[in-house]
Amino acid sequence: DHKRDLFKDCPFLLSFLDRFYNARIGLRMIAGQHIAMHSHPKGFVGLINGNCSPAEEARNAIVAASERCYEAYGEAPEVRIIDESNCTFRYMPNDLCYMLTELLKNSMRAVVEYHRDNSEDPPPIDIVIVDGEREISIKISDLGGGIARSSMPNIFNYTYSTAVQPTDSNYYSNPNGCGISLPIAGFGYGLPLTKLYAMYFGGNLKIMSMHGHGTDAYLYLSKLGTSEEYQM
């Protein structure tokens, strides 16, 4: 694969892109915070919500990812949320929703494609939310066939994807209105950017997979006020 060779031949490229996109996240955060400070919605300090609900943002992400999945495949698997603590914490809801949407799009694509020949409905995806002392942990668990162990070292490389690479034929008219819809996956930026967003405020993203079974994505989010900005 020429994209994997690109990172092999240019070992500095991955760290360069990480620094570039991390700086972009920081600039976006500063600009967005400055603009948002003038709106003063209840419970917010700029972009930061003092009572951000992971379960609520998970529901928003489910809607967004399901719409993309329906556009691409005409169906979407059920997603179940398990949040026994019903927790809230200080965080940016838009960023959290973005990260969850990217992870759910990957899981939905894997589940639908892996079970497309089955007559039964595809198995559900589970989102488990746990409130820790210093961080919120979110697990997104699917039965989408998993990722081959040989591919695991590459999943956080930019442009690398286990999905089919998008071509002009992958773009299609949006059935819900005018315009063009993008493929649900295949660009290879979802996982590395999600990890950068999580790491920016002291969190992280870990992927565990069992090839032939499914994948668990573990998103760790530090409670703001207990961590510092991530520096690369």
Side-chain angles (χ1 to χ4, degrees):
D1 184 293
H2 71 283
K3 291 177 179 174
R4 274 180 281 181
D5 291 340
L6 179 64
F7 287 98
K8 183 178 179 180
D9 296 338
C10 303
F12 62 87
L13 185 58
L14 181 60
S15 61
F16 168 80
L17 289 174
D18 278 341
R19 291 194 301 271
F20 173 81
Y21 284 111
N22 191 68
R24 179 185 178 277
I25 292 171
L27 289 173
R28 174 186 170 276
M29 186 67 62
I30 293 171
Q33 184 73 3
H34 174 74
I35 295 170
M37 286 296 289
H38 297 282
S39 59
H40 302 296
K42 184 178 180 181
F44 279 75
V45 178
L47 298 173
I48 302 171
N49 183 356
N51 293 291
C52 177
S53 168
E56 180 179 347
E57 296 312 317
R59 287 189 285 270
N60 293 335
I62 291 168
V63 172
S66 295
E67 288 178 353
R68 295 290 299 278
C69 194
Y70 271 111
E71 289 176 359
Y73 301 106
E75 63 175 327
E78 176 191 0
V79 182
R80 303 178 298 195
I81 299 175
I82 303 170
D83 180 18
E84 297 180 355
S85 62
N86 195 28
C87 59
T88 61
F89 71 129
R90 188 181 294 112
Y91 211 75
M92 292 71 61
N94 288 342
D95 291 351
L96 177 53
C97 185
Y98 166 78
M99 290 185 281
L100 293 174
T101 300
E102 289 300 317
L103 294 174
L104 281 172
K105 285 195 304 179
N106 287 346
S107 288
M108 288 183 177
R109 176 195 64 81
V111 167
V112 171
E113 291 187 354
Y114 190 66
H115 296 275
R116 62 172 41 171
D117 295 330
N118 294 348
S119 58
E120 300 179 355
D121 292 336
I125 297 167
D126 287 334
I127 300 178
V128 182
I129 301 170
V130 178
D131 183 12
E133 181 179 352
R134 297 177 61 85
E135 65 182 9
I136 301 292
S137 301
I138 302 175
K139 181 177 75 169
I140 297 180
S141 182
D142 68 62
L143 298 177
I147 303 169
R149 195 157 67 93
S150 59
S151 297
M152 289 298 292
N154 302 307
I155 61 174
F156 290 114
N157 287 352
Y158 296 91
T159 74
Y160 181 86
S161 177
T162 57
V164 176
Q165 295 294 319
T167 63
D168 289 343
S169 62
N170 295 130
Y171 293 76
Y172 47 88
S173 298
N174 189 331
N176 297 321
C178 60
I180 300 297
S181 292
L182 297 175
I184 190 172
F187 293 101
Y189 275 74
L191 281 182
L193 287 182
T194 297
K195 185 172 184 176
L196 277 186
Y197 269 93
M199 293 176 67
Y200 188 79
F201 281 117
N204 210 336
L205 172 64
K206 301 290 185 181
I207 304 294
M208 300 294 292
S209 189
M210 183 180 294
H211 195 210
H213 180 71
T215 300
D216 291 340
Y218 294 87
L219 184 61
Y220 302 103
L221 304 170
S222 291
K223 298 178 179 179
L224 298 191
T226 64
S227 59
E228 298 179 355
E229 179 186 31
Y230 175 64
Q231 300 291 336
M232 304 200 75

